[in-house]
Amino acid sequence: MKRCRKCGAPFEPQRPLQVVCSVACSHQWAQTLAARPGEIKARRREKAEALARLETPAEAARKAQAVFNRWIKLRDAGLPCVSCGHPDDGTRQRHASHYRPAGSNPALRFEPDAVWASCSICNNYKSGNLIPYRIELISRIGLARVEWLESHHDLPHRTVDDFRQIRAHYSKLVRDLERERNQVCG
């Protein structure tokens, strides 16, 4: 049994999300909700904030990684695949390919020089196609920077707030790149 949100009478719901007992109460409840849109927005905002407080570092990292990968694909739009040189002509899916795997090198996970757009074939089926990747990477960023990427990096201890800052930073860069491309095209 549930209690009607409008009249307070107990009732047995016919549908899972039913909150009122009758059609008359339903109309009154709809008018009540329409009269207080600010309260509904505030409740939604409170719920979003509560969910954000419950966010784990892994969830925050996934969200930050998704935004970072999108930025990489936008940054490298028009450039050929870093591994095989296949042009960005829309015939192959594009991935943000890490030169050194992010799982075993978390310090380089959000390092822009360590991640470049690659075709899905090189990234998925050829494990990055690393020998041609390295050769192209040297031509793009220089040997000294590639050697730095290949050296040891201490494990970063990132918190949820760190991942949120990374996500906010790259979200801004994504918006800027999209705005820039829309101005050129439009």
Side-chain angles (χ1 to χ4, degrees):
M1 295 291 285
K2 278 186 169 181
R3 189 162 297 279
C4 179
R5 288 201 184 167
K6 190 61 191 165
C7 69
F11 73 100
E12 190 168 330
Q14 303 297 314
R15 292 169 303 284
L17 300 176
Q18 185 176 346
V19 295
V20 291
C21 62
S22 65
V23 174
C25 283
S26 176
H27 289 297
Q28 292 174 358
W29 181 247
Q31 290 171 350
T32 303
L33 291 179
R36 49 185 182 167
E39 184 179 324
I40 294 170
K41 287 181 183 177
R43 206 175 310 141
R44 285 182 185 156
R45 188 171 33 255
E46 288 171 10
K47 183 178 178 182
E49 289 170 358
L51 288 174
R53 284 191 300 271
L54 296 174
E55 188 175 46
T56 66
E59 291 169 342
R62 271 193 301 277
K63 291 177 183 177
Q65 187 70 56
V67 173
F68 177 74
N69 289 350
R70 182 178 171 133
W71 176 73
I72 291 293
K73 290 182 227 176
L74 285 170
R75 177 194 72 179
D76 295 352
L79 291 177
C81 170
V82 70
S83 296
C84 69
H86 187 274
D88 182 18
D89 57 3
T91 58
R92 292 185 185 172
Q93 188 179 29
R94 302 278 284 186
H95 290 185
S97 177
H98 288 77
Y99 178 60
R100 297 186 64 199
S104 57
N105 301 284
L108 300 176
R109 184 176 198 165
F110 300 106
E111 174 59 46
D113 282 347
V115 185
W116 294 86
S118 163
C119 68
S120 59
I121 293 170
C122 289
N123 197 40
N124 287 342
Y125 302 112
K126 297 181 180 180
S127 299
N129 203 3
L130 291 181
I131 293 172
Y133 192 140
R134 185 176 195 276
I135 293 168
E136 179 61 23
L137 199 55
I138 290 171
S139 70
R140 288 187 186 187
I141 64 172
L143 181 61
R145 192 75 178 142
V146 171
E147 287 175 345
W148 177 83
L149 291 173
E150 294 171 343
S151 67
H152 175 74
H153 301 280
D154 290 331
L155 181 66
H157 297 285
R158 293 186 174 121
T159 64
V160 172
D161 287 333
D162 295 335
F163 288 120
R164 286 181 183 152
Q165 288 176 357
I166 290 168
R167 188 172 75 204
H169 172 72
Y170 285 106
S171 292
K172 181 186 180 314
L173 293 177
V174 164
R175 281 191 305 274
D176 292 346
L177 271 176
E178 287 176 340
R179 190 176 306 121
E180 195 176 289
R181 291 187 197 279
N182 288 339
Q183 288 175 354
V184 170
C185 294

